[in-house]
Each structure stands twice: as C-alpha cells, then as structure tokens.
Amino acid sequence: MSETKKFLYLNRKAPYGTIYALESLEVVLIGAAFEQDVSLAFVDDGVFQLTKGQNTKGIGMKDFSPTYRALGDYDVNKLYVEKESLEERGLSLDDLMPLTYEDEDDDYAEKDSIRVVSRAEMAQIMDEQDVILSF
Amino acid sequence: MKFAIQINEGPYQHQSADSAYQFAKAALEKGHEIFRIFFYHDGVNNGTRLTTPPQDDRHITNRWVELAEKYDLDLVVCVAAAQRRGIADADEAKRNGKDADNIAPKFRISGLGQLIEAGIQSDRLVVFGD
C-alpha cells in the first residue's frame, strides 16, 4: 500500500464517562504503523482528553492520559484543539498537557504538537481530509 | 463507489447498527461495492450468534449474516474491543482459556489494522456511531 491518505481522528467525548476516547487512542497507535498523514482533532467534551492533572483513582479506571505523550514518538504530531470548545468549558491551552515532538526536518527541534484552532479553521481542516474517524 | 463502514454502537441499544444496515443494503442494491464492515466499540456485539430478540422484532445479527451471504461481505469484529466485551471465535476462546465461543457465522475477528486498511482502500469510510 503505497497510497498515502489524510486521516483525521475526531475526538468528541470526555476521557472517562465512555470508552470512546480510550479506544480511539488504540486505533491511532495501531494506525501509526500504516504511515498515513495523521491528524487528531479535539472538539466538544473531547478537549477534556488532553487536560493535565488527570486522576482516576476515585473511579477505579486506568489513567491513560500519559499515552498522549507518546504520540510524538509515533510521528503523530498534529493535534488540533478547537478554541471555542475550550472556552465553552472554561479551559485554555494552559490547562492542557504539554505535548511535544522532535521535528526530523528541523534538526530534531522540540516542537508543540497541540495547535489551538478556531471552529472555522477546524471545519477547513476536516474538509481537507480523505478519511475521518469519528469517536 | 467503494465504501467501507464502521459501526461503533451495540445492536438494539442504539440506532447506529440499524442505520448502517439500511445504508449498506441500499448501497449494494444500487450496485456500489462495500469493501469491509468494521465493528468497533460496543458495535462488536452485532456479531454474537447468541442474540435472541423477541420474535416480532428485527434480528440484527441474522440480518448482517444474510446480507453477507448474499453479497459476500467482509464483516470484521475488532479483536481488542471483542475481548473486552466477551465476543470470541473458537481460536480466541481457546487462546484466552474460555469455555465457549459466540461469534456469528460470516463474522471474523481481526485487528484494528483492518479498519485503517479499509480507510485506505475505499473511496469513502462511513462511520455510524453516537
């Protein structure tokens, strides 16, 4: 399979109330082996997936948020977070985990993976994709 | 057109499985191709042959089986999602030390790579979920 497509994983749900976020991340990690052009989008309650300081002790579930930090090592380094979704929930970029990757094309400089975009920009990003997997 | 379909919700609980079935059936009747139907999240529960709805209701699992037999469809259940939810074929049951399997005929259990491949190989991937 030499063809490269633009894949967008669209994350819309909070990390723990349902399993969508965890199983979405599992697809991203498996999909990374296929060397496609991968982006992740976080909208609506999906923005909570990236918040820092997650603590799941009280609910008896595994805190899988550290996995997002590994995405850079899988060449998954375009994480688009919708600005309006953050604001509607009283969040800002400072509330999110710092996620970085090493840019091979820029002498392995450490760069931020998270890009906050407006709702209109998010629509444009979605429009550019070949495949959108919605979770 | 060549479609791939992803189903993220369980049968009866959610309309997603019904909508996906109606879409698949209509597409096939129009002469389109369906490369693969991939069952993920609770969607894996579409693939248990133990499904026993009331007699006057639609039988969602058997409906998939019949459509797959008619059009030679590839019905794939995600292995990781299936293990969590107790969906197993004979190999999976044996591997995990279980005393029974429950996968319906025409369904097969495979990995998430099958979903990515479906996205690559098809003209459109259509997701049915919540």
Side-chain angles (χ1 to χ4, degrees):
Chain A
M1 283 180 290
S2 57
E3 193 183 355
T4 299
K5 285 191 172 180
K6 289 175 76 71
F7 272 70
L8 178 73
Y9 297 90
L10 177 59
N11 297 290
R12 302 172 294 131
K13 316 264 185 172
Y16 301 102
T18 61
I19 200 170
Y20 297 102
L22 172 62
E23 287 191 332
S24 169
L25 201 49
E26 290 184 349
V27 184
V28 173
L29 295 173
I30 296 285
F34 284 75
E35 298 187 343
Q36 302 294 303
D37 182 356
V38 173
S39 303
L40 272 58
F42 297 85
V43 304
D44 302 343
D45 280 350
V47 299
F48 284 115
Q49 294 179 27
L50 298 179
T51 52
K52 59 186 170 194
Q54 294 181 29
N55 181 346
T56 56
K57 278 205 182 88
I59 55 171
M61 292 186 198
K62 185 180 161 189
D63 173 8
F64 62 91
S65 63
T67 311
Y68 292 100
R69 294 205 189 92
L71 290 176
D73 299 332
Y74 287 83
D75 286 332
V76 176
N77 49 41
K78 288 177 292 204
L79 276 61
Y80 299 103
V81 179
E82 191 185 77
K83 185 167 177 281
E84 286 86 344
S85 293
L86 285 173
E87 288 171 352
E88 285 159 8
R89 289 158 183 81
L91 298 171
S92 70
L93 183 59
D94 290 339
D95 296 304
L96 306 184
M97 295 180 279
L99 300 178
T100 58
Y101 71 103
E102 292 178 348
D103 188 350
E104 292 174 2
D105 301 324
D106 190 10
D107 199 23
Y108 294 91
E110 194 171 80
K111 296 188 177 176
D112 290 323
S113 297
I114 293 179
R115 306 163 198 202
V116 177
V117 298
S118 70
R119 193 158 279 168
E121 287 169 320
M122 189 64 90
Q124 180 67 34
I125 289 162
M126 288 182 190
D127 196 41
E128 291 165 359
Q129 305 299 318
D130 297 309
V131 180
I132 298 180
L133 296 148
S134 179
F135 295 101
Chain B
M1 187 171 279
K2 194 194 290 186
F3 289 102
I5 293 173
Q6 178 184 342
I7 298 168
N8 288 342
E9 304 299 332
Y12 304 101
Q13 168 84 5
H14 197 287
Q15 197 179 339
S16 152
D18 294 277
S19 301
Y21 172 79
Q22 302 297 349
F23 176 86
K25 186 165 173 282
L28 290 162
E29 285 170 356
K30 287 276 187 187
H32 296 292
E33 183 186 342
I34 293 184
F35 178 78
R36 179 170 294 145
I37 301 180
F38 191 87
F39 296 87
Y40 198 43
H41 302 307
D42 276 358
V44 299
N45 291 311
N46 279 267
T48 166
R49 66 169 186 269
L50 301 183
T51 301
T52 314
Q55 292 227 335
D56 59 352
D57 198 358
R58 69 221 188 279
H59 195 306
I60 292 178
T61 302
N62 287 358
R63 215 167 52 174
W64 285 123
V65 174
E66 287 156 17
L67 198 68
E69 282 170 348
K70 186 171 180 185
Y71 292 99
D72 194 25
L73 297 178
D74 189 19
L75 306 180
V76 177
V77 174
C78 168
V79 60
Q83 284 173 339
R84 284 195 178 102
R85 295 165 178 86
I87 305 293
D89 60 14
D91 284 348
E92 276 295 307
K94 192 176 173 195
R95 190 176 7 257
N96 297 308
K98 303 299 178 186
D99 61 2
D101 66 79
N102 59 351
I103 193 85
K106 302 303 286 182
F107 284 80
R108 65 187 181 95
I109 293 180
S110 190
L112 281 166
Q114 300 275 307
L115 172 61
I116 307 298
E117 187 201 15
I120 296 170
Q121 297 293 334
S122 304
D123 299 312
R124 294 281 189 283
L125 173 76
V126 187
V127 182
F128 292 87
D130 194 53

